[in-house]
């Protein structure tokens, strides 16, 4: 039956199914006939899907075809990017229908920060250098703006960190001590320091919003979404390990551990939590909006930091997720304490999950779930924000597609893992859809409604940071960001006076806004910090007054607590205050000065 049906479809196909709707009117007609005859929408459409997937996979892309697609992606990028610069900069975002700009998530030229590393991905070194220096000159974070702690972290801190780590490849002049110091790193650190007051709660879980000048407002709601609590470890640990200041990693870990302790008896977390009382305010458990990047960061944090604690947390959650929320390789929403289904819907944000599964090696499951999601894409030419699984259709008021990257991101990981050209076909489908539905003379507009292709006057910064980047990387399997030694020797050496760092050798970890982070740089700078710390301990021991030295004989846990307390008291800067670098924490001074302690200078060979 299945093969007969497939043959029938194939024979009747007059052209390849790469149109922006995926299904031609003929296929809708066939589906309709089968629905009427069998009244079994899901199985019939599954048969249709298998036919289409087989058909799509049948096409093998040649290198010239891939290269032509890469060129198309580049021109999409420049169409939007140039229009942002011409019509919207210095605002956060371009408004692609009215051809002007608006501030959305703050007032920090967000699109430019978010797009910076994409310039390097596309090979545009000179523009990367130009923009990096514009940002250093123009971005002011001392502003009276209420900003989302989560968004500022993933887009601003993440974007600047990634640009800092890629500055060497982009041919920028590097200061001594890079990658453990540098102007973009200092900007990222400044931005992150503005977020720290949000973490000063009794639980360690952060508020969702912070004023960049005044800290947390006394009237701020204590209710934060789960992702808003658990999506910091990648950026904050990177900052700590590069700069030698443990504050950032400490607060991110404290928040993660607090969240972990609030899971239900059946091992699930809900959607929104009160960060003061630890009470779950929204109790829907799932893998999509409000939660998604929490799980992503447990896995990627485990990889970036070689951290078993984070991986164990994820595995425990994953067991509960598979047990209670997974049905036919879809993931539903369930009540976090009872496991009963509360919303049988698929959300477009969930489409990152197959990519995450592939990082863990769960390929079979990843492929099946991807196929479910791809069927929705083909039904609409994009992923609606919410899709009702039983009804096989969009959900009221959630019909939009704001040009999100998640399905393309998963396609990139799955293509990397399987080599199956089905994923390239998805990429091409996505490109065609976006061109046909969203392109305006001024950029690319979010789709307000996928049913009639009405547009919204908004182009989110993640379109250039993520959607375009993942699309490009999907069609460039030997790009250095894929790691794996495909790019020559796969590594790139640089380093300050502390020694050479072999960068990029261990691949890259993308934060949830697609900003790549280099585990080798973290290792390299932590090594230098550790060496400096050991040296400092030796020197302090030699010169410390007796009673100070005595306090070191306290048990380790007491010392750790004291130091955590003094750190948490000192981490937030008062308005207008500038950070004084902790003694010997950064290798920015010349080597001999670095060893200047208590008035004595120890030279290289002393
Ligand atoms: C991005 O800002 C990030 O990927 C985030 O984790 C989820 N939402 C958008 C993209 O859809």
């Amino acid at each position: 039956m299945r093969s007969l049906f497939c043959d029938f479809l194939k024979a009747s196909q007059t052209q390849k199914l790469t149109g922006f709707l995926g299904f031609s009117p003929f296929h809708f007609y066939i589906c309709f006939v089968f629905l009427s005859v069998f009244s079994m929408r899901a199985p019939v459409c599954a048969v249709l899907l298998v036919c289409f997937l087989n058909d799509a996979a049948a096409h093998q892309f040649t290198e010239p075809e891939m290269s032509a697609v890469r060129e198309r992606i580049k021109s999409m990028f420049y169409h939007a990017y140039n229009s942002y610069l011409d019509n919207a900069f210095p605002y956060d975002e371009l408004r692609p229908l009215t051809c002007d700009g608006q501030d959305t998530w703050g007032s920090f030229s967000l699109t430019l920060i978010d797009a910076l590393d994409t310039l390097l991905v596309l090979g545009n070194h000179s523009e990367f250098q130009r923009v990096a220096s514009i940002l250093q000159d123009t971005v002011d974070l001392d502003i009276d703006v209420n900003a989302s702690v989560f968004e500022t972290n993933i887009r601003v801190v993440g974007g600047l960190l990634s640009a800092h780590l890629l500055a060497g490849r982009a041919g920028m002049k590097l200061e001594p001590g890079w990658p453990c110091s540098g102007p973009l790193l200092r900007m990222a650190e400044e931005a992150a320091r503005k977020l720290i007051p949000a973490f000063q709660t009794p639980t360690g879980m952060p508020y969702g919003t912070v004023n960049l000048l005044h800290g947390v407002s006394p009237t701020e709601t204590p209710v934060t979404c789960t992702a808003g609590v658990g999506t910091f470890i990648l950026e904050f640990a990177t900052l700590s390990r590069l700069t030698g200041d443990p504050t950032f990693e400490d607060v991110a870990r404290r928040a993660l551990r607090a969240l972990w302790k609030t899971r239900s008896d059946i091992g699930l977390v809900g959607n929104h939590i009160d960060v003061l009382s630890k009470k779950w305010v929204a109790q829907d458990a799932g893998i999509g909006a409000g939660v998604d990047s929490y799980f992503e960061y447990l896995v990627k944090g485990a990889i970036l930091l070689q951290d078993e604690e984070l991986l164990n947390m994820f595995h425990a959650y994953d067991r509960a997720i598979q047990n209670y929320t997974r049905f036919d390789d879809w993931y539903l929403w369930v009540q976090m304490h009872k496991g009963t289904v509360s919303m049988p819907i698929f959300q477009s944000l969930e489409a990152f999950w197959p990519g995450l599964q592939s990082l863990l090696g769960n390929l079979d499951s990843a492929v099946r779930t991807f196929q479910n999601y791809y069927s929705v894409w083909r039904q609409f030419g994009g992923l609606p924000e919410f899709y009702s699984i039983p009804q096989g259709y969009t959900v009221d008021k959630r019909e939009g597609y704001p040009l999100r990257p998640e399905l393309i991101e998963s396609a990139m990981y799955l293509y990397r893992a399987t080599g199956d050209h089905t994923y390239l076909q998805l990429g091409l489908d996505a490109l065609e859809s976006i061109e046909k539905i969203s392109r305006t003379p001024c950029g690319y507009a979010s789709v307000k409604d996928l049913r009639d292709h009405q547009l919204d006057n908004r182009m989110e910064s993640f379109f250039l940071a993520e959607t375009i980047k993942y699309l490009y990387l999907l069609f460039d399997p030997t790009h250095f960001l894929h790691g794996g030694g495909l790019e020559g020797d796969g590594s790139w050496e640089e380093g300050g006076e502390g020694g050479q760092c072999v960068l990029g050798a261990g691949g890259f970890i993308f934060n949830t806004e697609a900003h790549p982070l280099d585990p080798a740089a973290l290792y390299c700078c932590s090594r230098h910090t550790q060496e400096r710390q050991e040296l400092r301990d030796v020197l302090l021991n030699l010169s410390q007054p007796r009673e100070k030295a005595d306090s070191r004989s306290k048990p380790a846990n007491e010392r750790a607590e004291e130091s955590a307390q003094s750190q948490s008291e000192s981490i937030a800067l008062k308005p207008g205050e500038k950070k004084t670098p902790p003694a010997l924490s950064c290798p920015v001074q010349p080597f001999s000065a670095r060893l200047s302690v208590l008035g004595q200078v120890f030279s290289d060979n002393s």
Side-chain angles (χ1 to χ4, degrees):
M1 166 68 183
R2 196 196 108 189
S3 76
L4 189 75
F5 187 34
C6 290
D7 287 343
F8 175 49
L9 276 181
K10 277 199 183 130
S12 61
Q13 271 183 292
T14 49
Q15 60 181 56
K16 192 100 190 62
L17 289 170
T18 53
F20 66 92
L21 281 180
F23 282 42
S24 69
F26 173 75
H27 298 116
F28 279 119
Y29 172 68
I30 291 290
C31 197
F32 174 72
V33 169
F34 269 73
L35 283 175
S36 327
V37 174
F38 296 107
S39 303
M40 287 192 312
R41 180 185 303 217
V44 171
C45 286
V47 171
L48 271 172
L49 173 66
V50 171
C51 301
F52 294 152
L53 287 176
N54 287 347
D55 187 49
H59 178 73
Q60 296 295 301
F61 287 74
T62 61
E63 175 40 36
E65 281 175 319
M66 306 252 294
S67 160
V69 178
R70 287 199 294 274
E71 289 312 308
R72 289 184 68 186
I73 299 165
K74 275 190 189 173
S75 68
M76 287 171 82
F77 175 87
Y78 287 112
H79 175 61
Y81 174 79
N82 290 334
S83 179
Y84 166 78
L85 283 184
D86 293 344
N87 304 298
F89 177 77
Y91 288 105
D92 282 341
E93 285 177 17
L94 170 75
R95 298 205 304 170
L97 302 183
T98 46
C99 222
D100 53 10
Q102 64 176 343
D103 280 335
T104 48
W105 292 109
S107 183
F108 11 63
S109 307
L110 187 63
T111 296
L112 203 55
I113 296 181
D114 232 4
L116 179 54
D117 60 13
T118 310
L119 286 165
L120 180 81
V121 171
L122 303 183
N124 193 340
H125 293 191
S126 56
E127 182 64 1
F128 180 101
Q129 292 173 18
R130 191 181 77 85
V131 170
S133 81
I134 290 180
L135 291 174
Q136 288 168 49
D137 294 341
T138 60
V139 173
D140 179 9
L141 295 166
D142 281 323
I143 44 174
D144 187 3
V145 160
N146 292 331
S148 155
V149 181
F150 169 86
E151 300 290 353
T152 309
N153 176 51
I154 66 169
R155 302 189 198 211
V156 178
V157 179
L160 292 168
L161 277 177
S162 168
H164 161 73
L165 289 169
L166 296 172
R169 279 183 187 266
M172 287 190 71
K173 195 169 174 324
L174 304 172
E175 71 180 35
W178 184 90
C180 317
S181 73
L184 293 168
L185 176 60
R186 283 190 287 279
M187 281 178 77
E189 186 182 353
E190 191 196 344
R193 210 165 280 282
K194 297 274 182 190
L195 308 181
I196 293 290
F199 289 80
Q200 290 169 336
T201 61
T203 61
M205 294 192 275
Y207 283 95
T209 304
V210 69
N211 183 288
L212 298 183
L213 204 55
H214 305 299
V216 178
S217 155
T219 58
E220 187 54 51
T221 170
V223 178
T224 307
C225 70
T226 309
V229 175
T231 309
F232 294 92
I233 191 68
L234 292 184
E235 297 81 5
F236 278 27
T238 299
L239 267 177
S240 283
R241 303 213 179 178
L242 295 184
T243 63
D245 180 348
T247 301
F248 304 102
E249 183 166 347
D250 287 351
V251 297
R253 278 189 190 277
R254 186 164 171 240
L256 280 177
R257 288 184 182 134
L259 195 52
W260 169 244
K261 286 192 195 137
T262 64
R263 68 197 184 284
S264 70
D265 290 346
I266 60 172
L268 294 171
V269 283
N271 210 275
H272 281 77
I273 192 163
D274 183 320
V275 299
L276 302 179
S277 68
K278 293 193 265 186
K279 284 218 170 69
W280 283 101
V281 175
Q283 303 195 346
D284 298 293
I287 59 167
V291 192
D292 46 4
S293 48
Y294 170 40
F295 297 134
E296 179 185 357
Y297 272 37
L298 291 178
V299 174
K300 290 182 175 176
I303 301 171
L304 182 73
L305 308 170
Q306 297 291 295
D307 189 310
E308 236 176 291
E309 181 189 7
L310 301 181
L311 192 61
N312 289 339
M313 285 180 189
F314 178 80
H315 280 314
Y317 281 129
D318 195 34
R319 278 191 291 276
I321 288 168
Q322 301 301 331
N323 225 348
Y324 293 101
T325 77
R326 179 173 156 191
F327 293 88
D328 267 351
D329 299 301
W330 295 96
Y331 291 84
L332 314 183
W333 290 82
V334 303
Q335 211 285 341
M336 65 177 280
H337 296 289
K338 301 182 198 138
T340 47
V341 175
S342 58
M343 288 188 293
I345 58 163
F346 155 63
Q347 300 180 347
S348 62
L349 285 167
E350 293 167 18
F352 80 103
W353 189 258
L356 195 70
Q357 285 184 308
S358 83
L359 281 179
L360 290 156
N362 301 334
L363 264 187
D364 288 349
S365 171
V367 166
R368 287 195 301 271
T369 297
F370 184 92
Q371 288 180 354
N372 283 344
Y373 298 170
Y374 189 12
S375 73
V376 180
W377 180 286
R378 295 184 75 99
Q379 190 176 345
F380 297 100
L383 287 186
E385 290 289 61
F386 287 16
Y387 175 85
S388 161
I389 298 164
Q391 290 173 342
Y393 208 62
T394 56
V395 171
D396 193 31
K397 300 202 173 55
R398 294 283 191 278
E399 300 91 351
Y401 170 57
L403 307 176
R404 291 195 190 281
E406 285 76 7
L407 193 65
I408 300 167
E409 171 187 354
S410 279
M412 182 198 78
Y413 284 112
L414 285 172
Y415 178 58
R416 201 156 90 174
T418 64
D420 183 341
H421 285 216
T422 303
Y423 302 106
L424 299 178
Q425 189 59 52
L426 171 279
L428 192 53
D429 285 352
L431 184 155
E432 302 282 8
S433 303
I434 292 169
E435 284 288 26
K436 289 197 171 112
I437 302 175
S438 295
R439 190 178 173 112
T440 72
C442 239
Y444 291 87
S446 296
V447 184
K448 189 191 269 173
D449 192 329
L450 275 170
R451 295 167 306 172
D452 58 10
H453 300 168
Q454 270 186 74
L455 299 178
D456 247 340
N457 195 13
R458 205 161 167 199
M459 186 181 85
E460 281 254 23
S461 66
F462 57 67
F463 178 63
L464 296 184
E466 291 196 80
T467 311
I468 290 281
K469 188 187 287 150
Y470 283 132
L471 204 46
Y472 189 84
L473 290 172
L474 169 64
F475 284 92
D476 192 356
T478 60
H479 198 282
F480 75 86
L481 284 176
H482 291 302
L486 286 172
E487 181 223 24
D489 65 0
S491 66
W492 189 81
E493 291 195 12
E494 185 54 71
E497 72 276 6
Q500 291 256 296
C501 296
V502 181
L503 298 174
F508 290 80
I509 300 296
F510 291 91
N511 88 338
T512 191
E513 188 76 1
H515 296 304
L517 301 170
D518 182 352
L522 271 66
Y523 171 74
C524 173
C525 294
S526 314
R527 178 162 51 82
H528 298 163
T529 309
Q530 202 184 333
E531 284 164 7
R532 285 196 306 277
Q533 181 68 39
E534 283 165 11
L535 183 61
R536 188 176 70 166
D537 284 352
V538 170
L539 295 172
L540 284 176
N541 268 342
L542 288 176
S543 56
Q544 240 168 13
R546 189 80 201 134
E547 56 300 0
K548 278 240 175 116
D550 284 349
S551 79
R552 301 182 70 79
S553 62
K554 284 187 184 172
N557 57 346
E558 273 179 41
R559 269 189 282 133
E561 230 166 72
E562 275 172 17
S563 108
Q565 214 174 341
S566 65
Q567 270 160 23
S568 78
E569 278 160 10
S570 66
I571 45 189
L573 291 184
K574 297 194 185 70
E577 194 181 348
K578 289 274 172 224
K579 187 201 162 205
T580 341
L584 300 177
S585 79
C586 268
V588 285
Q589 310 99 314
F591 187 66
S592 56
R594 203 153 53 92
L595 293 175
S596 167
V597 175
L598 300 176
Q600 293 181 66
V601 175
F602 297 83
S603 69
D604 213 342
N605 50 8
S606 62

